[in-house]
């Protein structure tokens, strides 16, 4: 049997061997694409497998202390990221009164921000998989802080300039949001990574809620809504300094490879093809898109909807001069913070409890959360006209169910996509989710509201009714998103196993090739008895297996 293996091996290698081929430790193979190239060439096999390895001189392993410090800095900046995003919603009534604009025009502020965000996210994803991620995030943060601060000085006749600057803020935030989760994925693994991702994504609803509170509070204290846009740039300077001095640039895949990392050079087209063939990634991304549509519309319009409900119930007078009453911005912000923390913790706990027992538990949790929020949204829309306290009870329940998804869906991406393509996967998911999600949902709600309101433009009660009708779009999107996550359950087990096999195969190859001190050609030139020595035997049998495996895979394709 061993003789057959030996002769088979020498025949195959002789056919495809070009020049001198030695063990990768002595003569490392050039790093190439992970995708298979046409034709069965031994060089292509070595490149496709050993390209996953990282030279020892690259980034050193990161200590636990440094990893936790980095995590804290990233969470702080993520908090500011979402505070900045929803500060506008906290002072929306003031902005509409200041610029004298309609619902659809006001919604453009969020739409322009998200559109610029999604257009640049693929670029930053591409760069994040290939270049120094720390430098990319620092550059993006500088753009974000400068444009956010500049937007706070726009005067009454320059609404277009405010919209333009909001778009530039989106460009800066795109660099951070696409890259930061991949760095966390490279600092932690297993259950610890799930917890860290949970903590990181808890700051999405927490930051959003604090954005309402900080925006409304600063407008109330200063009597000028412009100060709401100056809070996060001031706090952001601290985050920029912390990132420069405290955050490392970990090797890609460092958590799965004991700090050594995973390296691969592939074209952007190859990355896209890989992701489109990953069914778990595609279906979960559709679910994330539906969630973005739903949360984007509700987060932007619910405080205004409740304020108009109070006017309908004659609890408040309509706002005609600044500053407008911000009671609902405070309450809605506090509810968002509470449900974000609680929902994120519950979602992660459920994931860690059931993932080992039910391999498809994560998308199932997301699907149940989305579908469970639908009845709550219906009740919110129809109860607001009669009882504000009851409405807040169902807002709490609905947001809690939606918050189950944040950390879990992010963890899904990290374990169904290989480390070298995670930044691209994050970027594409963000772009797609914003393009068909919260980039258009606030504007769509505003357009429908204006269309309904046009029949009775001077009726204050009708302004509430028009917004109520437009929000009915949201529950149907929630049903669609729940279905997408349920479809993900069908494929996630196999896709996650495929990533594990790739990473484990990379580790096996590194261990075996690094322990081989003898060149491959020297092994081939030995007599059969000497060829059975440990070093040659390990090298030859392993490469034979890889050659045959590649041949069978190409035949299958």
């Amino acid at each position: 049997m061993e003789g057959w293996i030996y002769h088979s091996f020498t025949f195959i290698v002789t056919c495809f061997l070009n020049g001198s081929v030695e063990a990768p430790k002595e003569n490392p193979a050039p790093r190439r694409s992970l995708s298979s190239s046409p034709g069965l060439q031994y060089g292509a096999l070595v490149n496709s497998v050993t390209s996953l390895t990282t030279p020892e001189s690259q980034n050193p392993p990161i200590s636990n202390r440094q990893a936790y410090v980095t995590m804290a800095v990233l969470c702080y900046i993520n908090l500011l990221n979402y505070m900045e995003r929803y500060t506008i919603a906290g002072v929306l009534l003031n902005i509409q009164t200041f610029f004298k604009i309609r619902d659809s025009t006001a919604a453009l502020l969020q739409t322009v921000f998200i559109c610029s965000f999604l257009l640049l996210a693929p670029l930053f994803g591409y760069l994040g998989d290939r270049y120094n991620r720390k430098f990319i995030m620092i550059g993006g943060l500088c753009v974000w802080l400068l444009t956010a601060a500049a937007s706070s000085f726009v005067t009454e006749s320059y609404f277009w300039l405010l919209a333009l600057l909001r778009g530039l803020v989106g460009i800066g935030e795109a660099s951070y949001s696409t890259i930061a989760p991949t760095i966390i994925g490279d600092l932690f693994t297993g259950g610890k990574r799930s917890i860290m991702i949970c903590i990181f994504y808890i700051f999405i609803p927490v930051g959003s809620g604090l954005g309402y509170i900080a925006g409304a509070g600063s407008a109330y204290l200063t009597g000028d809504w412009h100060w709401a846009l100056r809070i996060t740039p001031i706090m952001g300077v601290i985050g920029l300094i912390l990132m420069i001095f405290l955050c490392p640039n970990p090797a890609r895949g460092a958590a799965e490879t004991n700090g050594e990392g995973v390296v691969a050079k592939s074209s952007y087209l190859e990355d896209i093809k890989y992701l489109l063939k990953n069914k778990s990634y595609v279906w979960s991304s559709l679910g994330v898109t539906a969630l973005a549509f739903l949360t984007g519309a509700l987060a932007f319009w619910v405080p205004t909807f409740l304020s108009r409900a109070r006017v309908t119930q004659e609890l408040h007078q309509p706002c005609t001069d600044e500053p407008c009453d911000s009671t609902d911005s405070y309450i809605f912000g506090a509810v968002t913070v509470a449900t974000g923390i609680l929902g994120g913790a519950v979602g992660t706990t459920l994931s860690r409890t059931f993932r080992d027992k039910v391999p498809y538990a994560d998308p199932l949790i997301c699907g149940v959360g989305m579908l469970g929020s639908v009845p709550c949204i219906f009740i919110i829309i129809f109860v607001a006209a009669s009882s504000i306290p009851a409405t807040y009870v169902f807002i709490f329940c609905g947001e809690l169910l939606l918050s189950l998804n944040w950390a879990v869906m992010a963890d899904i991406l990290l374990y169904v996509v290989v480390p070298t393509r995670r930044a691209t996967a994050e970027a594409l998911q963000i772009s797609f989710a914003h393009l068909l999600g919260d980039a258009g949902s606030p504007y769509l709600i505003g357009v429908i509201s204006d269309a309904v309101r046009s029949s009775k433009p001077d009726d204050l009660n009708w302004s509430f009714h028009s917004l109520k009708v437009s929000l009915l779009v949201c529950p149907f999107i929630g049903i669609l998103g729940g279905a997408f996550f349920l479809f993900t359950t069908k494929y996630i087990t196999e896709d996650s196993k495929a990533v594990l096999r790739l990473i484990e195969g990379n580790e096996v190859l590194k261990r075996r090739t690094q322990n081989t001190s003898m060149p491959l050609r020297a092994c081939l030139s030995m007599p059969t008895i000497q060829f059975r020595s440990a070093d040659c035997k390990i090298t030859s049998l392993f490469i034979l297996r890889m050659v045959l495996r590649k041949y069978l895979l190409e035949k299958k394709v």
Side-chain angles (χ1 to χ4, degrees):
M1 183 66 179
E2 288 185 352
W4 179 85
I5 293 174
Y6 165 69
H7 290 296
S8 299
F9 169 72
T10 53
F11 173 76
I12 293 172
V13 173
T14 302
C15 290
F16 302 111
L17 189 61
N18 242 340
S20 176
V21 179
E22 295 183 359
K25 182 178 180 181
E26 295 185 7
N27 186 19
R31 290 173 283 174
R32 303 280 180 86
S33 167
L34 287 173
S35 63
S36 59
S37 57
L40 180 60
Q41 297 181 351
Y42 174 69
L45 168 71
V46 172
N47 292 331
S48 64
V49 177
T50 61
S51 65
L52 289 172
T53 64
T54 300
E56 294 180 1
S57 60
Q58 201 169 321
N59 299 344
I62 295 172
S63 66
N64 286 334
R65 181 179 179 276
Q66 192 175 17
Y68 288 125
V69 169
T70 302
M71 179 68 191
V73 174
L74 294 179
C75 286
Y76 173 72
I77 298 175
N78 200 38
L79 175 75
L80 300 181
N81 183 5
Y82 281 87
M83 282 181 64
E84 168 64 32
R85 191 174 300 189
Y86 287 101
T87 297
I88 289 285
V91 292
L92 187 61
L93 284 174
N94 294 278
I95 291 174
Q96 286 186 286
T97 303
F98 182 80
F99 289 105
K100 298 178 177 59
I101 53 178
R102 299 181 301 170
D103 289 349
S104 57
T105 307
L108 280 175
L109 291 174
Q110 190 75 351
T111 298
V112 169
F113 169 83
I114 297 298
C115 284
S116 64
F117 184 95
L118 70 90
L119 289 175
L120 270 294
L123 172 62
F124 287 118
Y126 176 85
L127 297 174
D129 277 336
R130 291 160 176 81
Y131 301 102
N132 189 302
R133 290 175 288 182
K134 176 179 177 178
F135 293 158
I136 296 171
M137 288 194 296
I138 289 172
L141 279 175
C142 292
V143 174
W144 163 24
L145 297 177
L146 290 173
T147 52
S151 67
S152 69
F153 296 97
V154 175
T155 57
E156 186 175 359
S157 56
Y158 290 94
F159 176 78
W160 64 269
L161 181 58
L162 177 62
L164 175 63
L165 290 172
R166 290 298 295 171
L168 295 177
V169 171
I171 294 174
E173 289 193 21
S175 66
Y176 179 79
S177 296
T178 55
I179 294 174
T182 68
I183 290 181
I184 296 174
D186 292 335
L187 293 174
F188 306 97
T189 188
K192 184 180 292 186
R193 180 164 68 188
S194 296
I195 294 173
M196 295 303 165
I197 286 292
C198 170
I199 295 172
F200 181 79
Y201 276 89
I202 276 177
F203 284 94
I204 292 180
V206 170
S208 303
L210 290 179
Y212 296 113
I213 297 171
S218 58
Y220 174 77
L221 292 174
T222 62
D224 183 3
W225 64 268
H226 289 86
W227 276 98
L229 304 183
R230 296 167 187 163
I231 300 298
T232 50
I234 294 172
M235 298 173 66
V237 173
I238 300 173
L240 179 62
I241 295 172
L242 292 175
M243 175 169 285
I244 292 173
F245 292 104
L246 298 181
C247 290
N249 178 45
R252 293 166 182 84
E256 291 96 339
T257 57
N258 297 319
E260 295 180 1
V262 175
V263 175
K265 288 188 177 180
S266 59
S267 70
Y268 192 65
L269 182 59
E270 289 173 329
D271 293 348
I272 301 297
K273 288 180 179 178
Y274 164 80
L275 294 172
L276 291 179
K277 291 179 181 179
N278 189 324
K279 293 183 175 63
S280 296
Y281 173 77
V282 171
W283 284 112
S284 62
S285 295
L286 290 173
V288 172
T289 302
L291 180 64
F293 184 101
L294 189 60
T295 55
L298 295 176
F300 194 81
W301 284 116
V302 165
T304 302
F305 176 68
L306 294 174
S307 180
R308 293 181 185 179
R310 291 180 187 275
V311 174
T312 300
Q313 297 178 40
E314 299 181 351
L315 300 175
H316 285 171
Q317 293 298 315
C319 178
T320 55
D321 296 307
E322 296 183 73
C324 299
D325 186 274
S326 301
T327 301
D328 291 299
S329 292
Y330 291 127
I331 300 175
F332 186 75
V335 169
T336 302
V337 171
T339 55
I341 295 173
L342 183 59
V346 171
T348 300
T349 302
L350 291 174
S351 172
R352 296 188 67 198
T353 302
F354 294 106
R355 188 185 296 173
D356 293 336
K357 303 172 185 176
V358 183
Y360 51 85
D362 285 353
L364 187 61
I365 292 168
C366 294
V368 169
M370 287 282 286
L371 294 174
S373 69
V374 170
C376 297
I377 297 171
F378 268 118
I379 295 172
I380 291 167
I381 294 171
F382 288 102
V383 170
S386 57
S387 175
I388 297 296
T391 304
Y392 273 114
V393 170
F394 287 100
I395 288 175
F396 182 92
C397 296
E399 286 202 331
L400 179 64
L401 289 166
L402 291 175
S403 295
L404 296 178
N405 295 1
W406 290 116
V408 178
M409 69 186 189
D411 207 12
I412 289 174
L413 184 147
L414 292 177
Y415 65 71
V416 300
V417 176
V418 294
T420 54
R421 284 164 170 158
R422 284 174 183 163
T424 299
E426 287 277 358
L428 287 179
Q429 188 178 86
I430 287 173
S431 297
F432 192 76
H434 288 316
L435 178 64
L436 299 179
D438 55 350
S441 62
Y443 183 69
L444 176 63
I445 300 300
V447 168
I448 296 173
S449 176
D450 283 345
V452 175
R453 188 179 179 180
S454 61
S455 60
K456 300 179 183 179
D458 298 325
D459 189 338
L460 293 177
N461 291 333
W462 195 249
S463 68
F464 165 74
H465 177 74
S466 64
L467 193 52
K468 172 182 173 180
V469 171
S470 63
L471 287 172
L472 286 172
V473 174
C474 296
F476 296 100
I477 299 298
I479 295 172
L480 196 60
F484 288 145
F485 280 120
L486 293 181
F487 280 128
T488 308
T489 61
K490 183 178 179 181
Y491 305 103
I492 195 166
T493 303
E494 185 55 38
D495 288 339
S496 60
K497 287 181 179 178
V499 173
L500 286 175
R501 285 196 297 267
L502 180 63
I503 294 173
E504 290 170 358
N506 168 55
E507 282 297 288
V508 170
L509 179 60
K510 281 182 66 66
R511 286 196 300 269
R512 292 184 177 182
T513 55
Q514 287 175 352
N515 289 333
T516 303
S517 58
M518 191 173 297
L520 179 60
R521 183 172 291 280
C523 291
L524 293 177
S525 64
M526 283 186 171
T528 303
I529 296 177
Q530 294 182 17
F531 181 78
R532 291 171 183 166
S533 66
D535 285 347
C536 288
K537 198 170 186 180
I538 290 174
T539 304
S540 59
L541 292 180
F542 180 71
I543 293 181
L544 172 61
R545 189 181 74 177
M546 297 302 294
V547 171
L548 294 176
R549 182 180 178 187
K550 180 177 177 66
Y551 175 76
L552 292 174
L553 286 174
E554 290 189 349
K555 280 294 185 181
K556 185 177 181 181
V557 173

mmCIF file of all heavy atoms in Angstrom, residues 18-47:
data_model
loop_
_atom_site.group_PDB
_atom_site.id
_atom_site.type_symbol
_atom_site.label_atom_id
_atom_site.label_comp_id
_atom_site.label_asym_id
_atom_site.label_seq_id
_atom_site.Cartn_x
_atom_site.Cartn_y
_atom_site.Cartn_z
ATOM 1 N N ASN A 18 7.285 22.079 -11.306
ATOM 2 C CA ASN A 18 8.059 22.944 -12.186
ATOM 3 C C ASN A 18 9.183 23.567 -11.388
ATOM 4 O O ASN A 18 8.938 24.372 -10.522
ATOM 5 C CB ASN A 18 7.170 24.059 -12.735
ATOM 6 C CG ASN A 18 7.052 23.979 -14.250
ATOM 7 O OD1 ASN A 18 7.871 23.366 -14.889
ATOM 8 N ND2 ASN A 18 6.010 24.602 -14.778
ATOM 9 N N GLY A 19 10.397 23.236 -11.666
ATOM 10 C CA GLY A 19 11.498 23.808 -10.909
ATOM 11 C C GLY A 19 11.633 23.163 -9.551
ATOM 12 O O GLY A 19 11.102 22.102 -9.272
ATOM 13 N N SER A 20 12.395 23.833 -8.708
ATOM 14 C CA SER A 20 12.654 23.338 -7.367
ATOM 15 C C SER A 20 11.523 23.707 -6.444
ATOM 16 O O SER A 20 11.157 24.862 -6.344
ATOM 17 C CB SER A 20 13.952 23.945 -6.827
ATOM 18 O OG SER A 20 14.157 23.538 -5.507
ATOM 19 N N VAL A 21 10.958 22.713 -5.763
ATOM 20 C CA VAL A 21 9.890 22.940 -4.790
ATOM 21 C C VAL A 21 10.363 22.433 -3.455
ATOM 22 O O VAL A 21 10.656 21.263 -3.305
ATOM 23 C CB VAL A 21 8.605 22.202 -5.193
ATOM 24 C CG1 VAL A 21 7.532 22.446 -4.161
ATOM 25 C CG2 VAL A 21 8.154 22.652 -6.566
ATOM 26 N N GLU A 22 10.422 23.307 -2.493
ATOM 27 C CA GLU A 22 10.874 22.927 -1.167
ATOM 28 C C GLU A 22 9.778 23.185 -0.163
ATOM 29 O O GLU A 22 8.754 23.777 -0.476
ATOM 30 C CB GLU A 22 12.124 23.732 -0.799
ATOM 31 C CG GLU A 22 13.302 23.397 -1.707
ATOM 32 C CD GLU A 22 14.535 24.147 -1.272
ATOM 33 O OE1 GLU A 22 14.448 24.909 -0.304
ATOM 34 O OE2 GLU A 22 15.569 23.963 -1.881
ATOM 35 N N ALA A 23 10.025 22.737 1.048
ATOM 36 C CA ALA A 23 9.039 22.951 2.102
ATOM 37 C C ALA A 23 8.827 24.441 2.301
ATOM 38 O O ALA A 23 9.762 25.228 2.243
ATOM 39 C CB ALA A 23 9.515 22.321 3.408
ATOM 40 N N PRO A 24 7.602 24.874 2.548
ATOM 41 C CA PRO A 24 7.292 26.291 2.675
ATOM 42 C C PRO A 24 8.110 27.018 3.711
ATOM 43 O O PRO A 24 8.309 28.201 3.608
ATOM 44 C CB PRO A 24 5.800 26.287 3.051
ATOM 45 C CG PRO A 24 5.269 25.007 2.466
ATOM 46 C CD PRO A 24 6.392 24.045 2.583
ATOM 47 N N LYS A 25 8.601 26.324 4.718
ATOM 48 C CA LYS A 25 9.374 27.017 5.758
ATOM 49 C C LYS A 25 10.679 27.546 5.189
ATOM 50 O O LYS A 25 11.155 28.606 5.556
ATOM 51 C CB LYS A 25 9.644 26.059 6.911
ATOM 52 C CG LYS A 25 10.407 26.740 8.058
ATOM 53 C CD LYS A 25 10.600 25.774 9.194
ATOM 54 C CE LYS A 25 11.364 26.434 10.333
ATOM 55 N NZ LYS A 25 11.594 25.538 11.441
ATOM 56 N N GLU A 26 11.295 26.781 4.256
ATOM 57 C CA GLU A 26 12.575 27.177 3.720
ATOM 58 C C GLU A 26 12.422 28.122 2.527
ATOM 59 O O GLU A 26 13.226 28.999 2.302
ATOM 60 C CB GLU A 26 13.364 25.932 3.285
ATOM 61 C CG GLU A 26 13.718 25.038 4.457
ATOM 62 C CD GLU A 26 14.595 23.896 4.022
ATOM 63 O OE1 GLU A 26 15.033 23.877 2.867
ATOM 64 O OE2 GLU A 26 14.845 23.020 4.850
ATOM 65 N N ASN A 27 11.374 27.936 1.759
ATOM 66 C CA ASN A 27 11.158 28.759 0.579
ATOM 67 C C ASN A 27 9.677 29.039 0.443
ATOM 68 O O ASN A 27 8.973 28.369 -0.292
ATOM 69 C CB ASN A 27 11.679 28.018 -0.654
ATOM 70 C CG ASN A 27 11.604 28.895 -1.889
ATOM 71 O OD1 ASN A 27 11.507 30.107 -1.778
ATOM 72 N ND2 ASN A 27 11.653 28.268 -3.068
ATOM 73 N N PRO A 28 9.163 30.019 1.162
ATOM 74 C CA PRO A 28 7.722 30.241 1.196
ATOM 75 C C PRO A 28 7.165 30.510 -0.181
ATOM 76 O O PRO A 28 7.748 31.225 -0.985
ATOM 77 C CB PRO A 28 7.574 31.489 2.097
ATOM 78 C CG PRO A 28 8.852 31.553 2.872
ATOM 79 C CD PRO A 28 9.886 30.989 1.998
ATOM 80 N N ALA A 29 6.020 29.895 -0.432
ATOM 81 C CA ALA A 29 5.348 30.105 -1.712
ATOM 82 C C ALA A 29 4.728 31.486 -1.741
ATOM 83 O O ALA A 29 4.310 32.015 -0.739
ATOM 84 C CB ALA A 29 4.257 29.047 -1.900
ATOM 85 N N PRO A 30 4.676 32.104 -2.935
ATOM 86 C CA PRO A 30 4.033 33.413 -3.020
ATOM 87 C C PRO A 30 2.574 33.315 -2.677
ATOM 88 O O PRO A 30 1.927 32.314 -2.964
ATOM 89 C CB PRO A 30 4.223 33.811 -4.494
ATOM 90 C CG PRO A 30 4.444 32.520 -5.207
ATOM 91 C CD PRO A 30 5.147 31.639 -4.249
ATOM 92 N N ARG A 31 2.032 34.394 -2.068
ATOM 93 C CA ARG A 31 0.632 34.383 -1.653
ATOM 94 C C ARG A 31 -0.250 34.710 -2.850
ATOM 95 O O ARG A 31 -0.073 35.731 -3.497
ATOM 96 C CB ARG A 31 0.419 35.379 -0.510
ATOM 97 C CG ARG A 31 1.058 34.921 0.767
ATOM 98 C CD ARG A 31 0.978 35.995 1.816
ATOM 99 N NE ARG A 31 1.978 37.029 1.541
ATOM 100 C CZ ARG A 31 2.071 38.147 2.233
ATOM 101 N NH1 ARG A 31 1.249 38.390 3.215
ATOM 102 N NH2 ARG A 31 2.992 39.039 1.938
ATOM 103 N N ARG A 32 -1.221 33.880 -3.097
ATOM 104 C CA ARG A 32 -2.095 34.054 -4.254
ATOM 105 C C ARG A 32 -3.546 34.022 -3.832
ATOM 106 O O ARG A 32 -3.874 33.964 -2.680
ATOM 107 C CB ARG A 32 -1.841 32.926 -5.277
ATOM 108 C CG ARG A 32 -0.391 32.838 -5.740
ATOM 109 C CD ARG A 32 -0.084 33.873 -6.805
ATOM 110 N NE ARG A 32 1.308 33.790 -7.237
ATOM 111 C CZ ARG A 32 1.727 32.970 -8.192
ATOM 112 N NH1 ARG A 32 0.869 32.154 -8.780
ATOM 113 N NH2 ARG A 32 2.986 32.964 -8.551
ATOM 114 N N SER A 33 -4.393 33.953 -4.879
ATOM 115 C CA SER A 33 -5.837 33.922 -4.633
ATOM 116 C C SER A 33 -6.264 32.622 -3.994
ATOM 117 O O SER A 33 -5.679 31.566 -4.229
ATOM 118 C CB SER A 33 -6.571 34.100 -5.970
ATOM 119 O OG SER A 33 -7.914 33.781 -5.827
ATOM 120 N N LEU A 34 -7.328 32.710 -3.175
ATOM 121 C CA LEU A 34 -7.903 31.513 -2.587
ATOM 122 C C LEU A 34 -8.696 30.719 -3.595
ATOM 123 O O LEU A 34 -8.995 29.564 -3.399
ATOM 124 C CB LEU A 34 -8.830 31.890 -1.420
ATOM 125 C CG LEU A 34 -8.130 32.364 -0.160
ATOM 126 C CD1 LEU A 34 -9.181 32.850 0.820
ATOM 127 C CD2 LEU A 34 -7.279 31.295 0.442
ATOM 128 N N SER A 35 -9.094 31.341 -4.667
ATOM 129 C CA SER A 35 -9.924 30.645 -5.648
ATOM 130 C C SER A 35 -9.068 29.717 -6.470
ATOM 131 O O SER A 35 -7.878 29.916 -6.658
ATOM 132 C CB SER A 35 -10.631 31.654 -6.554
ATOM 133 O OG SER A 35 -9.659 32.378 -7.280
ATOM 134 N N SER A 36 -9.660 28.683 -6.988
ATOM 135 C CA SER A 36 -8.941 27.715 -7.796
ATOM 136 C C SER A 36 -8.691 28.294 -9.168
ATOM 137 O O SER A 36 -9.524 28.916 -9.787
ATOM 138 C CB SER A 36 -9.767 26.424 -7.894
ATOM 139 O OG SER A 36 -11.009 26.687 -8.455
ATOM 140 N N SER A 37 -7.513 28.053 -9.681
ATOM 141 C CA SER A 37 -7.183 28.513 -11.021
ATOM 142 C C SER A 37 -7.431 27.392 -12.002
ATOM 143 O O SER A 37 -7.447 26.226 -11.663
ATOM 144 C CB SER A 37 -5.720 28.947 -11.061
ATOM 145 O OG SER A 37 -4.898 27.886 -10.648
ATOM 146 N N PRO A 38 -7.630 27.707 -13.290
ATOM 147 C CA PRO A 38 -7.894 26.660 -14.259
ATOM 148 C C PRO A 38 -6.687 25.761 -14.437
ATOM 149 O O PRO A 38 -5.551 26.211 -14.457
ATOM 150 C CB PRO A 38 -8.204 27.452 -15.543
ATOM 151 C CG PRO A 38 -7.569 28.789 -15.331
ATOM 152 C CD PRO A 38 -7.645 29.041 -13.878
ATOM 153 N N GLY A 39 -6.944 24.486 -14.588
ATOM 154 C CA GLY A 39 -5.869 23.534 -14.754
ATOM 155 C C GLY A 39 -5.353 23.046 -13.431
ATOM 156 O O GLY A 39 -5.311 23.764 -12.456
ATOM 157 N N LEU A 40 -4.908 21.792 -13.398
ATOM 158 C CA LEU A 40 -4.406 21.208 -12.162
ATOM 159 C C LEU A 40 -2.911 21.399 -12.117
ATOM 160 O O LEU A 40 -2.163 20.670 -12.743
ATOM 161 C CB LEU A 40 -4.764 19.717 -12.111
ATOM 162 C CG LEU A 40 -4.309 18.957 -10.878
ATOM 163 C CD1 LEU A 40 -4.920 19.576 -9.628
ATOM 164 C CD2 LEU A 40 -4.691 17.492 -10.978
ATOM 165 N N GLN A 41 -2.447 22.405 -11.397
ATOM 166 C CA GLN A 41 -1.026 22.691 -11.287
ATOM 167 C C GLN A 41 -0.615 22.638 -9.835
ATOM 168 O O GLN A 41 -1.279 23.210 -8.974
ATOM 169 C CB GLN A 41 -0.719 24.074 -11.861
ATOM 170 C CG GLN A 41 -1.030 24.165 -13.353
ATOM 171 C CD GLN A 41 -0.689 25.530 -13.890
ATOM 172 O OE1 GLN A 41 -0.382 26.448 -13.124
ATOM 173 N NE2 GLN A 41 -0.726 25.666 -15.194
ATOM 174 N N TYR A 42 0.481 21.980 -9.595
ATOM 175 C CA TYR A 42 0.917 21.852 -8.216
ATOM 176 C C TYR A 42 1.219 23.222 -7.618
ATOM 177 O O TYR A 42 0.922 23.495 -6.465
ATOM 178 C CB TYR A 42 2.162 20.953 -8.138
ATOM 179 C CG TYR A 42 2.735 20.904 -6.760
ATOM 180 C CD1 TYR A 42 2.049 20.267 -5.722
ATOM 181 C CD2 TYR A 42 3.933 21.538 -6.471
ATOM 182 C CE1 TYR A 42 2.568 20.251 -4.445
ATOM 183 C CE2 TYR A 42 4.458 21.519 -5.198
ATOM 184 C CZ TYR A 42 3.772 20.868 -4.198
ATOM 185 O OH TYR A 42 4.270 20.848 -2.927
ATOM 186 N N GLY A 43 1.805 24.111 -8.422
ATOM 187 C CA GLY A 43 2.090 25.445 -7.924
ATOM 188 C C GLY A 43 0.821 26.150 -7.481
ATOM 189 O O GLY A 43 0.787 26.827 -6.467
ATOM 190 N N ALA A 44 -0.263 25.974 -8.253
ATOM 191 C CA ALA A 44 -1.530 26.604 -7.894
ATOM 192 C C ALA A 44 -2.061 26.032 -6.598
ATOM 193 O O ALA A 44 -2.648 26.735 -5.784
ATOM 194 C CB ALA A 44 -2.552 26.406 -9.011
ATOM 195 N N LEU A 45 -1.836 24.707 -6.419
ATOM 196 C CA LEU A 45 -2.301 24.093 -5.171
ATOM 197 C C LEU A 45 -1.565 24.678 -3.977
ATOM 198 O O LEU A 45 -2.173 25.052 -2.987
ATOM 199 C CB LEU A 45 -2.059 22.580 -5.228
ATOM 200 C CG LEU A 45 -2.239 21.870 -3.885
ATOM 201 C CD1 LEU A 45 -3.696 21.841 -3.505
ATOM 202 C CD2 LEU A 45 -1.640 20.485 -3.918
ATOM 203 N N VAL A 46 -0.248 24.760 -4.091
ATOM 204 C CA VAL A 46 0.531 25.292 -2.979
ATOM 205 C C VAL A 46 0.132 26.725 -2.683
ATOM 206 O O VAL A 46 -0.028 27.127 -1.542
ATOM 207 C CB VAL A 46 2.045 25.199 -3.290
ATOM 208 C CG1 VAL A 46 2.854 25.934 -2.239
ATOM 209 C CG2 VAL A 46 2.476 23.744 -3.382
ATOM 210 N N ASN A 47 -0.063 27.514 -3.756
ATOM 211 C CA ASN A 47 -0.437 28.910 -3.539
ATOM 212 C C ASN A 47 -1.787 29.038 -2.881
ATOM 213 O O ASN A 47 -1.989 29.866 -2.013
ATOM 214 C CB ASN A 47 -0.444 29.649 -4.877
ATOM 215 C CG ASN A 47 0.940 29.784 -5.453
ATOM 216 O OD1 ASN A 47 1.904 29.837 -4.701
ATOM 217 N ND2 ASN A 47 1.053 29.829 -6.773
#
